[in-house]
Short mmCIF file of all heavy atoms in Angstrom, two decimals:
data_model
loop_
_atom_site.label_atom_id
_atom_site.label_comp_id
_atom_site.label_asym_id
_atom_site.label_seq_id
_atom_site.Cartn_x
_atom_site.Cartn_y
_atom_site.Cartn_z
N MET A 1 4.25 3.00 -13.11
CA MET A 1 3.68 3.70 -12.00
C MET A 1 3.15 2.72 -11.00
O MET A 1 2.29 1.97 -11.26
CB MET A 1 2.59 4.68 -12.50
CG MET A 1 2.42 5.79 -11.59
SD MET A 1 1.22 6.98 -12.26
CE MET A 1 -0.32 6.42 -11.65
N ALA A 2 3.72 2.79 -9.86
CA ALA A 2 3.31 1.88 -8.80
C ALA A 2 2.32 2.46 -7.86
O ALA A 2 2.49 3.61 -7.50
CB ALA A 2 4.52 1.41 -8.04
N GLU A 3 1.37 1.63 -7.54
CA GLU A 3 0.40 2.14 -6.56
C GLU A 3 0.50 1.25 -5.37
O GLU A 3 0.68 0.09 -5.41
CB GLU A 3 -0.97 2.14 -7.15
CG GLU A 3 -1.20 3.28 -8.10
CD GLU A 3 -2.67 3.70 -8.21
OE1 GLU A 3 -3.49 3.05 -7.60
OE2 GLU A 3 -2.93 4.68 -8.88
N TYR A 4 0.28 1.90 -4.17
CA TYR A 4 0.34 1.16 -2.98
C TYR A 4 -0.91 1.15 -2.20
O TYR A 4 -1.81 2.02 -2.44
CB TYR A 4 1.51 1.74 -2.07
CG TYR A 4 2.84 1.64 -2.77
CD1 TYR A 4 3.29 2.64 -3.61
CD2 TYR A 4 3.70 0.59 -2.45
CE1 TYR A 4 4.53 2.58 -4.16
CE2 TYR A 4 4.89 0.51 -3.06
CZ TYR A 4 5.35 1.44 -3.89
OH TYR A 4 6.57 1.37 -4.54
N LYS A 5 -0.98 0.32 -1.23
CA LYS A 5 -2.18 0.35 -0.42
C LYS A 5 -1.59 0.44 1.03
O LYS A 5 -0.63 -0.19 1.44
CB LYS A 5 -2.95 -0.99 -0.55
CG LYS A 5 -4.18 -0.70 -1.47
CD LYS A 5 -5.16 -1.90 -1.32
CE LYS A 5 -6.42 -1.59 -2.06
NZ LYS A 5 -7.40 -2.70 -1.84
N CYS A 6 -2.36 1.19 1.83
CA CYS A 6 -1.98 1.30 3.22
C CYS A 6 -2.30 0.01 3.96
O CYS A 6 -3.28 -0.51 3.79
CB CYS A 6 -2.72 2.46 3.87
SG CYS A 6 -2.44 2.64 5.55
N PHE A 7 -1.36 -0.46 4.70
CA PHE A 7 -1.56 -1.71 5.41
C PHE A 7 -2.52 -1.52 6.53
O PHE A 7 -3.22 -2.41 6.90
CB PHE A 7 -0.20 -2.15 5.97
CG PHE A 7 -0.23 -3.60 6.42
CD1 PHE A 7 -0.17 -4.61 5.50
CD2 PHE A 7 -0.30 -3.86 7.79
CE1 PHE A 7 -0.20 -5.98 5.96
CE2 PHE A 7 -0.31 -5.17 8.20
CZ PHE A 7 -0.28 -6.19 7.33
N LYS A 8 -2.62 -0.37 7.04
CA LYS A 8 -3.42 -0.06 8.23
C LYS A 8 -4.91 0.18 7.85
O LYS A 8 -5.86 -0.48 8.37
CB LYS A 8 -2.90 1.10 8.97
CG LYS A 8 -3.13 1.00 10.47
CD LYS A 8 -2.32 2.16 11.13
CE LYS A 8 -2.53 2.08 12.66
NZ LYS A 8 -1.83 3.27 13.26
N CYS A 9 -5.14 1.11 6.94
CA CYS A 9 -6.51 1.49 6.65
C CYS A 9 -6.96 1.02 5.32
O CYS A 9 -8.19 1.11 4.97
CB CYS A 9 -6.66 3.08 6.71
SG CYS A 9 -5.84 3.96 5.45
N GLY A 10 -6.05 0.54 4.45
CA GLY A 10 -6.48 -0.11 3.17
C GLY A 10 -6.75 0.92 2.07
O GLY A 10 -7.13 0.51 0.99
N ASN A 11 -6.48 2.16 2.29
CA ASN A 11 -6.65 3.15 1.25
C ASN A 11 -5.52 3.05 0.24
O ASN A 11 -4.41 2.77 0.54
CB ASN A 11 -6.71 4.52 1.82
CG ASN A 11 -8.06 4.86 2.42
OD1 ASN A 11 -9.05 4.86 1.71
ND2 ASN A 11 -8.05 5.14 3.64
N GLU A 12 -5.84 3.42 -0.99
CA GLU A 12 -4.82 3.39 -2.03
C GLU A 12 -4.05 4.67 -1.95
O GLU A 12 -4.55 5.74 -1.83
CB GLU A 12 -5.49 3.23 -3.42
CG GLU A 12 -6.02 1.80 -3.66
CD GLU A 12 -6.55 1.62 -5.03
OE1 GLU A 12 -6.39 2.60 -5.88
OE2 GLU A 12 -7.17 0.64 -5.29
N ILE A 13 -2.75 4.49 -2.15
CA ILE A 13 -1.86 5.63 -2.13
C ILE A 13 -1.00 5.62 -3.37
O ILE A 13 -0.41 4.65 -3.73
CB ILE A 13 -0.95 5.60 -0.87
CG1 ILE A 13 -1.80 5.48 0.36
CG2 ILE A 13 -0.07 6.78 -0.84
CD1 ILE A 13 -1.07 4.83 1.44
N LYS A 14 -0.96 6.75 -4.05
CA LYS A 14 -0.18 6.84 -5.23
C LYS A 14 1.31 7.00 -4.88
O LYS A 14 1.57 7.60 -3.86
CB LYS A 14 -0.66 7.99 -6.06
CG LYS A 14 -1.97 7.71 -6.77
CD LYS A 14 -2.43 8.91 -7.58
CE LYS A 14 -3.83 8.72 -8.17
NZ LYS A 14 -4.35 9.94 -8.80
N SER A 15 2.17 6.52 -5.74
CA SER A 15 3.56 6.63 -5.47
C SER A 15 4.02 8.15 -5.46
O SER A 15 4.98 8.51 -4.82
CB SER A 15 4.40 5.89 -6.54
OG SER A 15 4.03 6.34 -7.84
N GLU A 16 3.27 8.91 -6.09
CA GLU A 16 3.60 10.38 -6.12
C GLU A 16 3.37 11.02 -4.75
O GLU A 16 4.14 11.84 -4.29
CB GLU A 16 2.67 11.11 -7.10
CG GLU A 16 3.02 10.87 -8.55
CD GLU A 16 2.07 11.52 -9.52
OE1 GLU A 16 1.52 12.58 -9.19
OE2 GLU A 16 1.90 11.03 -10.60
N ASP A 17 2.38 10.46 -4.04
CA ASP A 17 2.12 11.00 -2.68
C ASP A 17 3.22 10.57 -1.78
O ASP A 17 3.56 11.28 -0.77
CB ASP A 17 0.82 10.42 -2.19
CG ASP A 17 -0.36 11.03 -2.93
OD1 ASP A 17 -0.23 12.14 -3.48
OD2 ASP A 17 -1.44 10.37 -3.09
N LEU A 18 3.80 9.38 -2.03
CA LEU A 18 4.84 8.92 -1.13
C LEU A 18 6.15 9.64 -1.35
O LEU A 18 7.01 9.70 -0.50
CB LEU A 18 5.05 7.43 -1.35
CG LEU A 18 3.88 6.49 -0.84
CD1 LEU A 18 4.23 5.09 -1.12
CD2 LEU A 18 3.61 6.76 0.60
N LYS A 19 6.24 10.29 -2.50
CA LYS A 19 7.48 11.05 -2.80
C LYS A 19 7.49 12.28 -1.92
O LYS A 19 8.52 12.72 -1.48
CB LYS A 19 7.52 11.44 -4.25
CG LYS A 19 8.06 10.30 -5.10
CD LYS A 19 8.11 10.68 -6.56
CE LYS A 19 8.50 9.50 -7.50
NZ LYS A 19 8.37 9.85 -8.88
N LYS A 20 6.33 12.86 -1.70
CA LYS A 20 6.24 14.05 -0.87
C LYS A 20 6.41 13.71 0.59
O LYS A 20 7.14 14.29 1.32
CB LYS A 20 4.87 14.76 -1.10
CG LYS A 20 4.67 15.17 -2.52
CD LYS A 20 3.13 15.66 -2.71
CE LYS A 20 2.87 15.77 -4.21
NZ LYS A 20 1.47 15.84 -4.42
N ARG A 21 5.58 12.70 0.99
CA ARG A 21 5.66 12.32 2.36
C ARG A 21 5.49 10.74 2.41
O ARG A 21 4.50 10.24 1.91
CB ARG A 21 4.46 12.88 3.12
CG ARG A 21 4.71 14.34 3.57
CD ARG A 21 3.52 14.72 4.47
NE ARG A 21 3.58 16.13 4.76
CZ ARG A 21 2.64 16.69 5.56
NH1 ARG A 21 1.70 16.05 6.01
NH2 ARG A 21 2.76 17.98 5.81
N PHE A 22 6.46 10.12 3.02
CA PHE A 22 6.35 8.70 3.06
C PHE A 22 5.47 8.21 4.20
O PHE A 22 5.94 7.64 5.19
CB PHE A 22 7.68 8.06 3.15
CG PHE A 22 7.73 6.61 2.77
CD1 PHE A 22 7.64 6.24 1.50
CD2 PHE A 22 7.76 5.66 3.84
CE1 PHE A 22 7.59 4.87 1.09
CE2 PHE A 22 7.74 4.33 3.40
CZ PHE A 22 7.68 3.88 2.12
N LYS A 23 4.22 8.64 4.10
CA LYS A 23 3.24 8.06 5.02
C LYS A 23 1.85 8.20 4.43
O LYS A 23 1.63 9.00 3.57
CB LYS A 23 3.36 8.77 6.37
CG LYS A 23 3.02 10.26 6.29
CD LYS A 23 3.09 10.85 7.69
CE LYS A 23 2.67 12.36 7.67
NZ LYS A 23 2.75 12.91 9.04
N CYS A 24 0.99 7.48 4.98
CA CYS A 24 -0.40 7.43 4.50
C CYS A 24 -1.05 8.79 4.84
O CYS A 24 -1.02 9.21 5.97
CB CYS A 24 -1.17 6.32 5.19
SG CYS A 24 -2.94 6.24 4.73
N PRO A 25 -1.63 9.45 3.78
CA PRO A 25 -2.32 10.68 4.05
C PRO A 25 -3.62 10.56 4.83
O PRO A 25 -4.21 11.55 5.32
CB PRO A 25 -2.66 11.19 2.59
CG PRO A 25 -2.62 10.00 1.74
CD PRO A 25 -1.69 9.03 2.39
N HIS A 26 -4.07 9.31 5.01
CA HIS A 26 -5.35 9.06 5.69
C HIS A 26 -5.10 8.77 7.17
O HIS A 26 -5.87 9.22 8.04
CB HIS A 26 -6.08 7.92 5.02
CG HIS A 26 -6.32 8.16 3.61
ND1 HIS A 26 -7.25 9.00 3.09
CD2 HIS A 26 -5.70 7.67 2.45
CE1 HIS A 26 -7.23 8.98 1.76
NE2 HIS A 26 -6.28 8.22 1.40
N CYS A 27 -4.13 7.93 7.48
CA CYS A 27 -3.99 7.58 8.88
C CYS A 27 -2.56 7.70 9.35
O CYS A 27 -2.25 7.24 10.49
CB CYS A 27 -4.45 6.13 8.99
SG CYS A 27 -3.42 4.91 8.25
N ASP A 28 -1.68 8.27 8.58
CA ASP A 28 -0.35 8.48 8.94
C ASP A 28 0.56 7.19 9.11
O ASP A 28 1.62 7.19 9.74
CB ASP A 28 -0.19 9.27 10.23
CG ASP A 28 -0.52 10.81 9.94
OD1 ASP A 28 -0.76 11.07 8.79
OD2 ASP A 28 -0.64 11.54 10.93
N SER A 29 0.02 6.12 8.64
CA SER A 29 0.72 4.88 8.72
C SER A 29 1.93 4.90 7.83
O SER A 29 1.87 5.55 6.74
CB SER A 29 -0.22 3.65 8.39
OG SER A 29 0.56 2.53 8.35
N LYS A 30 2.98 4.13 8.10
CA LYS A 30 4.12 4.00 7.20
C LYS A 30 4.36 2.70 6.67
O LYS A 30 5.45 2.35 6.25
CB LYS A 30 5.35 4.63 7.98
CG LYS A 30 5.30 6.04 8.24
CD LYS A 30 6.49 6.49 9.04
CE LYS A 30 6.46 7.99 9.40
NZ LYS A 30 7.45 8.44 10.31
N ILE A 31 3.33 1.89 6.79
CA ILE A 31 3.47 0.55 6.29
C ILE A 31 2.56 0.36 5.04
O ILE A 31 1.38 0.58 5.12
CB ILE A 31 3.02 -0.52 7.38
CG1 ILE A 31 3.85 -0.24 8.67
CG2 ILE A 31 3.30 -1.92 6.87
CD1 ILE A 31 3.30 -0.99 9.86
N PHE A 32 3.17 0.01 3.90
CA PHE A 32 2.41 -0.18 2.72
C PHE A 32 2.67 -1.47 2.01
O PHE A 32 3.70 -2.14 2.33
CB PHE A 32 2.75 1.02 1.70
CG PHE A 32 2.72 2.31 2.38
CD1 PHE A 32 3.89 2.93 2.73
CD2 PHE A 32 1.51 2.96 2.55
CE1 PHE A 32 3.83 4.17 3.34
CE2 PHE A 32 1.49 4.19 3.19
CZ PHE A 32 2.62 4.83 3.56
N PHE A 33 1.84 -1.85 1.10
CA PHE A 33 2.11 -2.99 0.36
C PHE A 33 1.55 -2.81 -1.11
O PHE A 33 0.71 -1.88 -1.30
CB PHE A 33 1.44 -4.27 0.96
CG PHE A 33 -0.07 -4.25 0.96
CD1 PHE A 33 -0.85 -4.80 -0.04
CD2 PHE A 33 -0.75 -3.70 2.05
CE1 PHE A 33 -2.19 -4.84 0.03
CE2 PHE A 33 -2.11 -3.70 2.11
CZ PHE A 33 -2.85 -4.22 1.13
N LYS A 34 2.09 -3.55 -1.96
CA LYS A 34 1.63 -3.43 -3.36
C LYS A 34 0.44 -4.30 -3.67
O LYS A 34 0.62 -5.58 -3.69
CB LYS A 34 2.75 -3.69 -4.30
CG LYS A 34 3.78 -2.58 -4.45
CD LYS A 34 4.81 -2.93 -5.42
CE LYS A 34 5.88 -1.81 -5.51
NZ LYS A 34 6.87 -2.08 -6.51
N PRO A 35 -0.76 -3.81 -3.93
CA PRO A 35 -1.91 -4.59 -4.22
C PRO A 35 -1.82 -5.27 -5.57
O PRO A 35 -2.50 -6.29 -5.81
CB PRO A 35 -3.07 -3.65 -4.20
CG PRO A 35 -2.45 -2.30 -4.50
CD PRO A 35 -1.06 -2.39 -3.93
N ARG A 36 -0.96 -4.81 -6.47
CA ARG A 36 -0.84 -5.48 -7.76
C ARG A 36 -0.18 -6.89 -7.63
O ARG A 36 -0.40 -7.73 -8.45
CB ARG A 36 0.00 -4.63 -8.67
CG ARG A 36 -0.80 -3.47 -9.22
CD ARG A 36 0.09 -2.60 -10.13
NE ARG A 36 0.48 -3.40 -11.31
CZ ARG A 36 1.43 -2.96 -12.21
NH1 ARG A 36 1.97 -1.83 -11.98
NH2 ARG A 36 1.68 -3.67 -13.25
N ARG A 37 0.60 -6.99 -6.63
CA ARG A 37 1.25 -8.27 -6.40
C ARG A 37 0.21 -9.34 -6.03
O ARG A 37 -0.48 -9.10 -5.02
CB ARG A 37 2.27 -8.10 -5.34
CG ARG A 37 3.30 -9.18 -5.29
CD ARG A 37 4.30 -8.70 -4.24
NE ARG A 37 5.32 -9.75 -3.99
CZ ARG A 37 6.23 -9.64 -3.01
NH1 ARG A 37 6.23 -8.59 -2.29
NH2 ARG A 37 7.06 -10.58 -2.82
N LYS A 38 0.16 -10.33 -6.75
CA LYS A 38 -0.88 -11.35 -6.39
C LYS A 38 -0.45 -12.17 -5.18
O LYS A 38 0.67 -12.61 -5.04
CB LYS A 38 -1.03 -12.30 -7.63
CG LYS A 38 -1.99 -11.70 -8.65
CD LYS A 38 -2.36 -12.70 -9.71
CE LYS A 38 -3.32 -12.07 -10.68
NZ LYS A 38 -3.69 -13.10 -11.79
N VAL A 39 -1.38 -12.32 -4.31
CA VAL A 39 -1.14 -13.02 -3.10
C VAL A 39 -1.45 -14.52 -3.33
O VAL A 39 -2.56 -14.81 -3.85
CB VAL A 39 -1.98 -12.50 -1.98
CG1 VAL A 39 -1.75 -13.25 -0.70
CG2 VAL A 39 -1.73 -10.99 -1.76
N LYS A 40 -0.55 -15.30 -3.03
CA LYS A 40 -0.76 -16.75 -3.16
C LYS A 40 -1.62 -17.25 -2.05
O LYS A 40 -1.36 -16.99 -0.93
CB LYS A 40 0.56 -17.47 -3.13
CG LYS A 40 1.10 -17.84 -4.55
CD LYS A 40 2.29 -18.73 -4.46
CE LYS A 40 2.70 -19.11 -5.89
NZ LYS A 40 3.89 -20.03 -5.86
N VAL A 41 -2.62 -17.95 -2.49
CA VAL A 41 -3.52 -18.52 -1.44
C VAL A 41 -3.02 -19.90 -1.09
O VAL A 41 -2.93 -20.79 -1.94
CB VAL A 41 -4.96 -18.62 -1.93
CG1 VAL A 41 -5.86 -19.22 -0.88
CG2 VAL A 41 -5.41 -17.16 -2.31
N VAL A 42 -2.66 -20.09 0.12
CA VAL A 42 -2.23 -21.41 0.59
C VAL A 42 -3.35 -22.13 1.29
O VAL A 42 -3.97 -21.62 2.20
CB VAL A 42 -0.99 -21.29 1.46
CG1 VAL A 42 -0.50 -22.61 1.84
CG2 VAL A 42 0.11 -20.49 0.75
N LYS A 43 -3.61 -23.27 0.86
CA LYS A 43 -4.65 -24.05 1.46
C LYS A 43 -4.09 -24.83 2.69
O LYS A 43 -3.19 -25.58 2.49
CB LYS A 43 -5.27 -25.05 0.43
CG LYS A 43 -6.76 -24.86 0.28
CD LYS A 43 -7.32 -25.92 -0.64
CE LYS A 43 -8.76 -25.69 -0.85
NZ LYS A 43 -9.33 -26.72 -1.68
N ALA A 44 -4.68 -24.51 3.77
CA ALA A 44 -4.18 -25.29 4.95
C ALA A 44 -5.25 -26.38 5.31
O ALA A 44 -6.43 -26.08 5.49
CB ALA A 44 -4.06 -24.32 6.17
N GLU A 45 -4.78 -27.52 5.35
CA GLU A 45 -5.69 -28.59 5.71
C GLU A 45 -5.49 -29.18 7.06
O GLU A 45 -4.36 -29.21 7.51
CB GLU A 45 -5.57 -29.65 4.61
CG GLU A 45 -6.18 -29.17 3.30
CD GLU A 45 -6.07 -30.35 2.24
OE1 GLU A 45 -6.20 -31.48 2.60
OE2 GLU A 45 -5.83 -30.01 1.10
ZN1 LIG B 1 -3.76 4.54 5.94
#
């Protein structure tokens, strides 16, 4: 079961919600990302 986060407002969205409507129920954004995916921190010097 995948969970997504809205790129715009940061709210969590269940994949079930996206099956009904592929947009954020909070802000109608259509851009999402998977928070489970670890973001690599790159050190810029
Ligand atoms: Zn949103």
